[in-house]
Amino acid sequence: MMTNASLLILPGDGIGPEVMTEVRKVIDWYGPKRGLTFDVSEDLVGGAAYDTHGTPLHDDTMAKAQEVDAVLLGAVGGPKYDVLDFSVKPERGLLRLRKEMDLFANLRPAQCFDALADFSSLKKDVVAGLDIMIVRELTSGIYFGEPRGIIEEGNERVGINTQRYTESEIDRVARSAFDLARKRGNKVCSMEKANVMESGILWREVVQRVHDEDYPDVELSHMYADAGAMQLCRWPKQFDVIVTDNLFGDLLSDAAAMLTGSLGMLPSASLGAPMSNGRPKALYEPVHGSAPDIAGQGKANPIACILSFAMALRYSFDQGEEATRLEAAVETVLADGARTADLMGPDGGTPMSTAKMGDAIVAALDASL
Ligand code: NAD
């Protein structure tokens, strides 16, 4: 029995509420069937919050997010809000959460379920069974470094961005990666460009020091990020956890995600510093957006959001075995041929609805007991 597990659910816009309804079925299953009860609260974010409060994230919601053990978000945005001023656009709600919770480690798994291996653009044997995790530093680096801007120099303009990392910023994201590796395959590959960038030299030194001092049991290797990109396409299964900076992580995590097929399958987590109870500040969300083209039609694939909850079980609630149970349930329904519209191959067939996919996963959980 787990106690004091608080979870704030922010369904958001578009397909967000639809996929979250299916996650609620899973959460409700864990209470009676596994003795895992959560103190769940629900609130508004994005366009839904704007419609009610005139802001994409109310201060009370922000305060709640700071207090709970984990936040689970659906998606934000939609054409209705495109005309809004930048300061109140739905995405600002999500950015405020990430910023004020100081979520510096973005976890993007690239996991290929065997039943979907044909969806990859790579050969089946290269991706079948793939299970890697990219840890991207999320709050510093070239997207934030100063000086930045476009300046006049002589008779032309110059665009400037600055790659800047402090030792403590590298230290904390390296620790996140090593901690994660201990819960998985116990291997970390750190990627930078130490051959041409001073920030890369410092990155490599700090990661190595953190390893030698506190994580000597974890296998550590270093790779230049361009070589890493090639290796990800050549033989991705050589990796377990990859840790890298904000810019390289942005590119590498998207590339790795596409090794596995549909956007409807991809979960993510963003973690910050440990709170007083030892759990990290945490926001879990599917990688996909609000998919306005299919919203309200029962076509959305809820698996990305359900797998985001599995990540919460593993990384916030220390329930690794239950996370594995949930991932195995997803694997089972896929192996049985269950497919939402986004997972239909060229051979056609009849896709199942969002709700039916949720029900099938709950049934597979039942069968796992
Ligand atoms: P999107 O991810 O919403 O959709 C891209 C395509 O993938 C669409 O064809 C959509 O139908 C499909 N798709 C996405 N998720 C799916 C799912 N679970 N099941 C089945 N199909 C799925 O990206 P977009 O169309 O570029 O953006 C739509 C809106 O979402 C925009 O307002 C954008 O700003 C916002 N957005 C939000 C987030 C977020 O909340 N984290 C992320 C990306 C985009």
Side-chain angles (χ1 to χ4, degrees):
M1 176 70 82
M2 184 177 62
T3 53
N4 299 328
S6 55
L7 184 63
L8 172 62
I9 290 188
L10 302 173
D13 307 319
I15 61 168
E18 298 167 45
V19 295
M20 203 60 86
T21 299
E22 304 314 306
V23 179
R24 290 299 284 258
K25 291 179 185 169
V26 170
I27 293 172
D28 291 345
W29 182 87
Y30 270 102
K33 297 296 171 73
R34 300 300 301 156
L36 287 185
T37 49
F38 299 88
D39 178 7
V40 181
S41 52
E42 189 165 320
D43 213 327
L44 302 172
V45 70
Y50 177 82
D51 288 341
T52 304
H53 302 301
T55 168
L57 189 73
H58 195 277
D59 289 346
D60 292 349
T61 317
M62 186 66 243
K64 247 190 255 174
Q66 296 282 22
E67 280 162 18
V68 292
D69 294 317
V71 180
L72 183 63
L73 186 139
V76 295
K80 178 180 162 194
Y81 306 104
D82 286 349
V83 294
L84 292 181
D85 183 71
F86 185 68
S87 62
V88 288
K89 276 199 190 295
E91 291 75 8
R92 301 301 298 173
L94 181 52
L95 293 176
R96 182 176 174 201
L97 279 167
R98 288 177 182 159
K99 182 162 184 277
E100 294 194 17
M101 292 169 77
D102 197 14
L103 303 172
F104 58 82
N106 182 225
L107 277 51
R108 290 271 301 265
Q111 199 175 5
C112 185
F113 293 99
D114 284 353
L116 299 182
D118 285 331
F119 269 74
S120 175
S121 50
L122 297 189
K123 286 188 194 123
K124 191 169 178 169
D125 68 313
V126 176
V127 291
L130 178 72
D131 180 10
I132 62 179
M133 176 74 79
I134 300 202
V135 180
R136 165 190 173 193
E137 198 290 326
L138 200 60
T139 53
S140 185
I142 199 162
Y143 294 156
F144 297 92
E146 299 282 347
R148 61 186 296 160
I150 300 175
I151 61 167
E152 301 284 339
E153 201 172 85
N155 57 0
E156 64 174 351
R157 294 185 305 156
V158 184
I160 299 171
N161 290 93
T162 302
Q163 167 82 333
R164 184 179 191 279
Y165 270 106
T166 64
E167 286 184 288
S168 52
E169 287 167 343
I170 303 168
D171 183 293
R172 65 183 186 173
V173 75
R175 284 177 197 280
S176 296
F178 289 127
D179 286 338
L180 271 173
R182 280 180 174 163
K183 293 182 178 179
R184 299 169 40 94
N186 218 31
K187 260 178 24 177
V188 170
C189 180
S190 171
M191 294 189 186
E192 28 55 20
K193 291 279 288 174
N195 49 343
V196 287
M197 296 170 75
E198 283 75 7
S199 58
I201 294 173
L202 187 69
W203 182 282
R204 188 176 285 221
E205 277 176 22
V206 174
V207 172
Q208 188 67 51
R209 175 181 52 70
V210 170
H211 170 267
D212 296 349
E213 285 176 7
D214 291 325
Y215 299 89
D217 53 302
V218 181
E219 190 184 319
L220 171 66
S221 60
H222 302 275
M223 205 177 267
Y224 298 136
D226 50 343
M230 283 196 277
Q231 291 301 326
L232 267 176
C233 300
R234 193 187 68 83
W235 190 241
K237 287 189 233 178
Q238 68 186 280
F239 298 112
D240 175 27
V241 174
I242 293 172
V243 62
T244 187
D245 74 14
N246 202 342
L247 173 63
F248 297 139
D250 196 1
L251 308 181
L252 293 171
S253 63
D254 268 15
M258 276 303 105
L259 300 176
T260 69
S262 168
L263 204 49
M265 295 291 301
L266 299 172
S268 81
S270 300
L271 306 181
M275 298 181 285
S276 54
N277 62 7
R279 291 175 178 154
K281 285 256 165 86
L283 171 71
Y284 298 89
E285 54 178 326
V287 169
H288 63 71
S290 59
D293 53 333
I294 57 166
Q297 300 172 35
K299 288 183 180 168
N301 183 351
I303 292 178
C305 204
I306 288 173
L307 291 177
S308 299
F309 175 66
M311 292 185 81
L313 285 173
R314 180 172 287 119
Y315 299 120
S316 281
F317 301 120
D318 220 10
Q319 296 290 332
E321 278 181 25
E322 297 304 332
T324 303
R325 178 193 301 281
L326 181 50
E327 288 157 357
V330 169
E331 174 114 56
T332 301
V333 300
L334 293 172
D336 288 348
R339 299 281 186 274
T340 41
D342 56 309
L343 301 178
M344 301 301 295
D347 305 339
T350 312
M352 72 200 310
S353 69
T354 311
K356 284 266 159 35
M357 180 59 96
D359 293 343
I361 291 168
V362 169
L365 283 171
D366 267 333
S368 75
L369 295 177

